[in-house]
Amino acid sequence: MSVIWVVMPKWGLSMESGRITEWLVSEGDEVAEGDELCEIDTEKIAGALESTADGTLCRVIAAVGEVVPVGATIALVADAAVAEAAVEEAARAAREELDAGVVEEVAGPEVGCVEVAGRSLAYARSGEAGTAVVLVHGFGGDKNSWLFVQEPLAADHVVDAIDLPGHGESATDVGDGSLATLAAAVTGYLDARGIDRAHLVGHSLGGAVVTAAAAAAPDRVLSLTLVAPAGFGAAVNAAYLRGFAGATSRRELQPHLRALFADESLATRQLADDLMRHKRLDGVAEALAALLGTLLTDDDRAGLDALSLLDGLDVPVMVVWGRQDAVLPFTNTAAFDGRRQAGQCEVRAVDDAGHMVHMERPSAVVEAVRALTRPR
């Protein structure tokens, strides 16, 4: 094992630097792949950086409070076989690079759009080799919501995060807004990108969408990872959904965003501003209204039933759910009891996480996906 250079990650297209707010391990500590090393604050949101290798954290290069450019080395990991002189030399070079501010620019994900059924679908692709993984966000979200998950998965896979119609940088036309229309957008994306088969990962509405896509084209799907999926269980926070869709200002929106996280401090002003910027675009309000009609009945009951779509589907299914989910409560996992007991799926509960479990506890989601994507 050589010295592993732990660098400031690029979490999102606009991220240029991050501030170390806390080191969660100390020099000399043994770390394993997936262990959280430090907390990083960005302009968008705070998150934990995970180790990409097993070894010893032999040097911390960037101190707490230091603002570090994307791509700059913040720590070194190595094992006992690496000579101390080599570690010292690597640490000296890393510190000099950081002090000089000369850091090689880090290429972000490949971004672009494809045409599917007359609609433009935006995507961000990371990774150069391996089986395909496609990430599908929830209602009102976009591909950037996977920022903490896409990068670690890209070490072993080609990972595409897409914007559903009516979201992000995709066309605002959602057609009838039905689950079938959204699922066709996903399978159409696979066609447009020449992806024969993929591991599908969906959050919230995206969970129902990837389930419907798998039911419609089972030969195109290698596995399903459902993160707090809609369409499974009857409980739904209709007030949140209607409040999100109807908010016309940051002041109206921000209280609703607190329902997304176990740690309400993550519902930042910046997050609300970014969402309102998108909601004010022509056609977005109409798109969200159409999709709301898919998610909720007129009397505010859950409008989707995706459970039956799993019938006859012979692919591995993993369910990941935050115990503090205030939008689609954890009790909805009871919908999977029969399948779980029959060995047809696995359900993983994540402590200290709300509806946005892939942002609050990304390592839990990454590990769940890896459990299905590892060669069998």
Side-chain angles (χ1 to χ4, degrees):
M1 178 184 183
S2 58
V3 176
I4 303 297
W5 300 57
V6 181
V7 303
M8 178 62 69
K10 188 174 181 64
W11 287 332
L13 300 176
S14 62
M15 180 177 172
E16 296 181 353
S17 64
R19 183 171 63 89
I20 309 289
T21 56
E22 182 182 6
W23 279 101
L24 305 175
V25 292
S26 302
E27 288 187 2
D29 286 352
E30 296 294 321
V31 298
E33 181 179 353
D35 285 353
E36 294 182 348
L37 300 177
C38 64
E39 296 279 358
I40 295 173
D41 196 10
T42 76
E43 290 182 350
K44 301 288 185 183
I45 196 169
L49 177 66
E50 299 174 354
S51 178
T52 59
D54 299 341
T56 302
L57 185 77
C58 52
R59 291 292 187 280
V60 169
I61 306 300
V64 170
E66 197 164 358
V67 177
V68 179
V70 168
T73 301
I74 60 174
L76 302 175
V77 171
D79 64 22
V82 178
E84 179 63 20
V87 172
E88 282 296 332
E89 175 58 23
R92 183 195 60 75
R95 190 63 244 181
E96 286 184 359
E97 178 191 64
L98 196 53
D99 290 340
V102 181
V103 179
E104 184 176 349
E105 186 175 351
V106 175
E110 168 200 340
V111 295
C113 294
V114 296
E115 288 290 316
V116 175
R119 300 184 182 92
S120 175
L121 282 189
Y123 68 88
R125 168 171 287 188
S126 298
E128 298 179 351
T131 52
V133 176
V134 176
L135 310 173
V136 182
H137 60 79
F139 176 69
D142 64 22
K143 58 186 179 298
N144 292 321
S145 66
W146 298 104
L147 75 176
F148 299 134
V149 171
Q150 186 170 12
E151 182 179 69
L153 288 177
D156 302 304
H157 301 280
V158 176
V159 186
D160 291 3
I162 67 172
D163 287 336
L164 288 170
H167 296 79
E169 297 173 292
S170 288
T172 55
D173 172 22
V174 297
D176 61 3
S178 68
L179 188 60
T181 295
L182 299 177
V186 174
T187 54
Y189 179 80
L190 299 181
D191 293 337
R193 297 291 283 167
I195 301 172
D196 291 332
R197 304 185 75 192
H199 299 278
L200 299 184
V201 183
H203 169 248
S204 197
L205 172 62
V209 170
V210 298
T211 302
D219 57 330
R220 309 292 300 277
V221 179
L222 292 165
S223 72
L224 288 176
T225 302
L226 309 178
V227 183
F232 298 88
V236 59
N237 185 342
Y240 162 76
L241 293 173
R242 295 201 183 281
F244 178 91
T248 59
S249 68
R250 172 170 53 80
R251 190 171 185 176
E252 291 179 8
L253 179 62
Q254 194 155 6
H256 295 292
L257 298 184
R258 296 186 187 117
L260 290 172
F261 302 97
D263 179 358
E264 293 184 356
S265 68
L266 296 176
T268 62
R269 176 173 179 162
Q270 183 65 53
L271 177 62
D273 285 344
D274 289 346
L275 287 168
M276 280 310 306
R277 193 174 300 114
H278 179 257
K279 280 168 61 67
R280 291 186 176 116
L281 297 176
D282 289 345
V284 170
E286 291 78 5
L288 293 178
L291 296 173
L292 194 60
T294 296
L295 285 164
L296 291 176
T297 63
D298 290 342
D299 57 354
D300 284 351
R301 290 180 289 114
L304 288 174
D305 178 9
L307 186 63
S308 62
L309 297 175
L310 292 177
D311 291 343
L313 196 59
D314 186 23
V315 298
V317 177
M318 179 74 77
V319 180
V320 185
W321 218 303
R323 288 192 186 275
Q324 284 73 49
D325 195 326
V327 177
L328 298 171
F330 179 76
T331 52
N332 278 3
T333 58
F336 293 95
D337 282 352
R339 296 179 183 278
R340 183 174 53 78
Q341 291 164 6
Q344 297 172 338
C345 73
E346 179 178 343
V347 177
R348 295 187 178 186
V350 183
D351 293 328
D352 301 322
H355 192 56
M356 303 299 283
V357 59
H358 55 313
M359 298 184 76
E360 287 192 279
R361 294 291 178 269
S363 59
V365 175
V366 170
E367 181 51 39
V369 176
R370 284 175 174 162
L372 298 185
T373 59
R374 290 189 185 102
R376 296 167 184 270

